[in-house]
Amino acid sequence: MEMTNNPLANHKICYVRPVMARDVRDEIERESEDLSDAFSDDSILYALHGEDGARIALMSDREIAFAAARQHEMTPLSVH
């Protein structure tokens, strides 16, 4: 059996990218009315996307987005 040192071999890849709150305002409001006023339109949020590009989550902090991905056995990559 051949062993690999590839850290991505056993994890799904996901992508973290910054988004403006104004661009995802409708999604924030659908999730919770309490959150609709929590972020100004100029706030930067971090979207976590699966390998297929589907948005999985929105986070208020980049480091939290990366930690959440790792906690769910995904390998996060930054997208700009």
Side-chain angles (χ1 to χ4, degrees), residues 21-56:
R22 72 174 144 262
D23 295 335
V24 292
R25 177 68 56 203
D26 290 341
E27 186 172 334
I28 293 170
E29 290 173 353
R30 274 194 310 268
E31 290 296 318
S32 172
E33 288 182 23
D34 294 337
L35 291 177
S36 65
D37 293 328
F39 304 101
S40 71
D41 283 348
D42 293 331
S43 296
I44 297 174
L45 303 175
Y46 294 86
L48 185 62
H49 294 268
E51 290 177 308
D52 63 356
R55 184 177 300 141
I56 298 169

